[in-house]
Amino acid sequence: TTADVFTALRTVLSVERARTGTTDITARKLLRMFTIEAADGLGLADSTGSIAIGKRADIILIRQDPNLLPVGDPFETLVYNGR
């Protein structure tokens, strides 16, 4: 298998919404949990987890695709349609 963060995001979002029966967790909250909050939980927030001067960073390229044209919330678009 391959590490596909977008599939992981969609899975977590779907499972959490099914488990709780609510939409309290949003795509924006989930992206924050997968980035800065994960780095903070691992004690790495000073060096990674967000884009800032002096922090390490990975870059992902996202192909411009008609499915990624923001219709409403760009975070929802990225989580639901990113590949």
Side-chain angles (χ1 to χ4, degrees):
T1 63
T2 60
D4 177 0
V5 71
F6 296 113
T7 298
L9 286 165
R10 284 189 291 275
T11 300
V12 169
L13 191 60
S14 296
V15 168
E16 186 62 16
R17 286 181 174 177
R19 187 184 71 79
T20 63
T22 69
T23 57
D24 289 345
I25 187 164
T26 64
R28 181 185 292 248
K29 283 183 187 178
L30 189 59
L31 284 167
R32 183 172 176 79
M33 289 168 58
F34 264 57
T35 55
I36 190 66
E37 290 181 15
D40 188 45
L42 293 169
L44 301 172
D46 290 340
S47 62
T48 191
S50 62
I51 297 173
I53 294 172
K55 287 191 174 185
R56 295 182 310 198
D58 290 329
I59 291 182
I60 62 168
L61 300 176
I62 301 170
R63 180 180 59 198
Q64 187 174 357
D65 181 295
N67 290 329
L68 288 174
L69 295 176
V71 176
D73 181 354
F75 296 98
E76 294 264 339
T77 300
L78 185 61
V79 169
Y80 284 113
N81 299 302
R83 297 185 232 149

